[in-house]
Amino acid sequence: MSNLTRSPAWQALTAHHAAISKQTMRGMFAADPARFDKFSLQLDGLLLDYSKNVASEETLRLLLSLVRQSKLDDWITRMFNGDKINTTEQRAVLHTALRAPHGASVYTDGKDVVPDVLRVRDHMRRFCGAVRDGSLRGHTGKPLRDVVNIGIGGSSLGPQMISEALKPYASTQLNAHFVSNVDATDLIETLRPLDPETTLFIISSKTFTTQETLTNARSARTWLVNHLGSEDAVAKHFAAVSTNLAETSKFGINPDNVFEFWDWVGGRYSVWSAIGLPIALYIGMDNFERLLAGGHAMDQHFRETPFEKNMPVILGLLGIWYANFFDAASYAILPYDQYLQHFPAYLQQLEMESNGKRVDRDGHDVDYATHMVVWGEPGTNGQHSFYQLIHQGTRMVPADFLAPITSHNPLGEHHAMLLANCFAQTEALMLGKTEEEARAELVAQGLSGEALETLLPYKVFPGNRPSNTLLFDRLDPYTMGMLVALYEHKVFVQSVVWNINAFDQWGVEFGKQLAGKLLPELQGKQDASSHDASTNGLIKRFLAH
Ligand code: F6P
């Protein structure tokens, strides 16, 4: 048994789980009218209501002892101080320094990184200003109107999600596009309607060696040169964001259009760096800096707030409660805001690439569950798709509901209906519907006898299904920054309790490695028979076609 599962805090939670499983949230709300006040937190217009959880004050006390036992406070200090807590890559983890305000200092390897952060931020401001005011023009002298970001994973998901989320703040003169898949359909369908004379490509890649990104970048370059008739056009229509300046130079990017970031920024934590350039171009640098300010506000909250009132700590512990003590296999992100439609996909990488691990910091296989599968779709769409399972399936699926109090698009009753659905779903999940209640409803509908008895079992809802609700004044850049940083720190809290490194990603290497061997075989350059019968059969069928 690992130290974690042998620990007093863990053992106490196991015992507590047995006890609390006999209670219901209905009962908890009935017993304590102040439950909402006790189990909610606020920060700068962001409300976290975590009262609809299968948790009592005793539960939270025990969960907090787990966090204390894991020495979270030391880990927080180490992260913010630039210690190399990404131990397998011997790197610091300082995405928080990217949103540090002017005047801050953050050291790693004996160097204050903030001056470099501010230098690149200033370069971003100048570049965005020039593109947006039309003083920076394309090869044929036209202003740039379409920005195409070519990147994947952390070099695309964050910029795409936030550009979509903050569309109300976007320029009407610029369109943002995101190409990530090596499937040429992604690039071709994106470029189809675009005019090369007014298109700016941003090649975003921390390593600048990612196969999909470089393949798309080369094809985009060919598209541009073929249309504009000269290699000289590349310097005017390409920018790059990377830690690998040698490779950006080799690709032929004009050094004035290269924006660097550093190894102490993890890919899935990089949206705050120049990886956010597409966002800054789209919504303007002032709004981008509001995003950074929101992230910084959450950093301060995380560092300074006692754990029992600390949003990332509470969210992180509730996730552990369900993953490790209720064996929940997945949890859902359900944004009741169409602008957050990409938020579930963004969190999939942030959470599952960070904590989808099975070997702990000491190199031992864990004997407990780590991250749940993260998934989700905007409400109310999900209600017409998978809510049947969430309400009446055999699995508990904890869910985070997110909603704005104020809509950017007020229209009649739409927003009231959206929020009514959001609140009603969390209420229904919590309450459930007893057999007696279901029976009474069917009687009231005029059913009786066998017809009623036959239908009755299907109308019962188990309830006691947990949810958190994040309710914010408006989806603005500052709030978006708080939300992203909230989940970043939640993931960190869980990694500390699970004693895993949230900041490496060795699991993505093996597939890439095998793909490198398969490519020449699919191109007919090498004999394909060294694989298993399935892979050989698939290659053979492809080649025969
Ligand atoms: O998925 C593996 C990964 O390395 C991610 O961590 C990263 O965000 C993505 O690929 C893209 O990497 P790069 O920014 O180096 O192209």
Side-chain angles (χ1 to χ4, degrees):
M1 276 175 95
S2 63
N3 294 336
L4 178 58
T5 51
R6 250 203 317 257
S7 68
W10 189 278
Q11 298 291 331
L13 280 162
T14 303
H16 178 67
H17 169 261
I20 202 162
S21 296
K22 299 183 180 71
Q23 297 181 40
T24 64
M25 283 193 261
R26 273 195 190 207
M28 294 176 199
F29 277 103
D32 184 356
R35 184 172 173 84
F36 170 76
D37 297 328
K38 285 179 183 170
F39 291 82
S40 57
L41 298 169
Q42 304 215 43
L43 174 67
D44 295 348
L46 173 63
L47 166 74
L48 167 59
D49 169 15
Y50 61 100
S51 60
K52 294 191 178 99
N53 276 290
V54 188
S56 62
E57 286 170 285
E58 173 66 359
T59 314
L60 288 165
R61 195 183 63 73
L62 292 171
L63 285 169
L64 285 164
S65 61
L66 196 55
V67 136
R68 291 194 178 94
Q69 165 184 286
S70 308
K71 300 194 177 7
L72 177 63
D73 46 357
D74 291 348
W75 280 101
I76 292 172
T77 302
R78 294 183 62 202
M79 176 168 76
F80 280 90
N81 284 356
D83 289 11
K84 295 186 177 178
I85 63 171
N86 176 359
T87 43
T88 62
E89 294 181 300
Q90 272 305 297
R91 289 173 180 167
V93 173
L94 280 174
H95 45 283
T96 50
L98 297 169
R99 52 215 188 204
H102 285 260
S105 292
V106 180
Y107 285 83
T108 189
D109 278 339
K111 182 185 177 198
D112 181 1
V113 300
V114 174
D116 277 342
V117 169
L118 296 179
R119 170 176 55 79
V120 172
R121 214 187 281 170
D122 183 56
H123 183 193
M124 288 171 70
R125 176 174 284 277
R126 283 182 279 110
F127 182 79
C128 293
V131 170
R132 287 162 65 89
D133 70 16
S135 54
L136 193 62
R137 293 180 170 239
H139 182 64
T140 60
K142 289 185 180 175
L144 299 163
R145 288 282 175 263
D146 286 286
V147 175
V148 179
N149 185 75
I150 296 180
I152 197 165
S155 295
S156 177
L157 287 166
Q160 180 168 21
M161 183 276 290
I162 294 178
S163 295
E164 177 62 39
L166 298 178
K167 190 177 280 186
Y169 299 86
S171 153
T172 52
Q173 303 297 310
L174 272 179
N175 303 305
H177 312 270
F178 296 87
V179 172
S180 48
N181 200 332
V182 77
D183 175 348
T185 299
D186 201 6
L187 181 68
I188 289 172
E189 287 296 347
T190 300
L191 296 186
R192 192 188 303 281
L194 301 188
D195 174 354
E197 293 186 76
T198 59
T199 298
L200 170 67
F201 291 99
I202 302 177
I203 313 303
S204 298
S205 175
K206 179 174 179 179
T207 57
F208 225 79
T209 59
T210 304
Q211 179 189 57
E212 297 95 328
T213 299
L214 293 186
T215 304
N216 276 321
R218 283 192 285 269
S219 299
R221 178 199 177 105
T222 303
W223 175 82
L224 184 86
V225 173
N226 288 350
H227 279 86
L228 300 190
S230 160
E231 284 284 340
D232 296 347
V234 173
K236 294 273 189 182
H237 292 264
F238 275 79
V241 182
S242 186
T243 62
N244 189 341
L245 306 192
E247 285 301 317
T248 60
S249 165
K250 237 191 267 177
F251 188 88
I253 308 281
N254 173 355
D256 293 344
N257 298 351
V258 175
F259 300 83
E260 71 172 320
F261 65 111
W262 306 275
D263 271 352
W264 40 261
V265 180
R268 52 193 173 274
Y269 296 88
S270 64
V271 73
W272 317 92
S273 73
I275 288 289
L277 185 62
I279 306 169
L281 281 163
Y282 193 44
I283 65 173
M285 200 59 194
D286 289 345
N287 283 318
F288 185 75
E289 295 206 352
R290 291 293 298 151
L291 177 85
L292 298 178
H296 180 66
M298 188 55 75
D299 290 342
Q300 296 302 91
H301 170 79
F302 182 46
R303 295 176 84 172
E304 296 165 0
T305 309
F307 289 161
E308 57 274 7
K309 295 289 179 198
N310 191 305
M311 286 190 180
V313 173
I314 294 296
L315 270 191
L317 285 175
L318 288 167
I320 285 174
W321 182 226
Y322 298 122
N324 294 104
F325 297 91
F326 288 79
D327 298 328
S330 80
Y331 99 92
I333 295 287
L334 306 173
Y336 277 68
D337 186 326
Q338 192 64 21
Y339 286 127
L340 284 175
Q341 61 182 310
H342 289 116
F343 198 47
Y346 172 76
L347 290 180
Q348 285 185 324
Q349 185 197 14
L350 177 65
E351 302 212 16
M352 294 200 277
E353 194 167 81
S354 291
N355 286 344
K357 292 167 184 168
R358 51 189 297 283
V359 177
D360 68 19
R361 284 184 167 277
D362 306 313
H364 304 137
D365 289 2
V366 297
D367 61 355
Y368 41 86
T370 54
H371 218 65
M372 294 183 277
V373 173
V374 182
W375 59 284
E377 286 291 332
T380 56
N381 299 15
Q383 295 171 202
H384 303 270
S385 164
F386 47 77
Y387 277 44
Q388 166 61 45
L389 180 142
I390 293 179
H391 280 285
Q392 291 186 324
T394 56
R395 297 175 186 280
M396 170 199 267
V397 180
D400 287 356
F401 287 72
L402 299 95
I405 292 171
T406 308
S407 169
H408 284 290
N409 300 298
L411 177 62
E413 296 308 301
H414 285 251
H415 197 60
M417 284 179 189
L418 180 71
L419 292 194
N421 276 280
C422 178
F423 299 165
Q425 290 296 335
T426 62
E427 184 181 25
L429 285 166
M430 180 274 291
L431 277 179
K433 186 180 289 181
T434 65
E435 189 176 297
E436 292 66 35
E437 290 162 344
R439 179 183 297 280
E441 274 182 15
L442 291 172
V443 168
Q445 290 163 19
L447 268 76
S448 61
E450 188 181 340
L452 185 148
E453 296 308 325
T454 305
L455 193 54
L456 182 59
Y458 305 100
K459 306 286 270 182
V460 175
F461 286 72
N464 224 34
R465 300 204 162 185
S467 66
N468 297 306
T469 299
L470 285 158
L471 188 63
F472 38 90
D473 293 349
R474 175 188 289 267
L475 187 58
D476 58 26
Y478 187 92
T479 302
M480 189 74 251
M482 284 200 288
L483 286 172
V484 173
L486 168 60
Y487 280 91
E488 286 178 343
H489 292 319
K490 169 209 136 169
V491 164
F492 179 54
V493 168
Q494 294 179 332
S495 73
V496 168
V497 172
W498 286 327
N499 188 29
I500 56 180
N501 176 2
F503 304 106
D504 59 12
Q505 53 284 322
W506 300 110
V508 305
E509 299 304 323
F510 189 30
K512 287 183 192 175
Q513 193 184 340
L514 293 186
K517 282 173 62 180
L518 267 162
L519 181 58
E521 295 170 1
L522 289 183
Q523 291 169 327
K525 295 174 185 167
Q526 266 176 1
D527 175 44
S529 60
S530 61
H531 308 278
D532 58 276
S534 161
T535 308
N536 287 340
L538 294 169
I539 297 168
K540 196 164 157 229
R541 177 145 174 87
F542 172 80
L543 291 175
H545 196 65

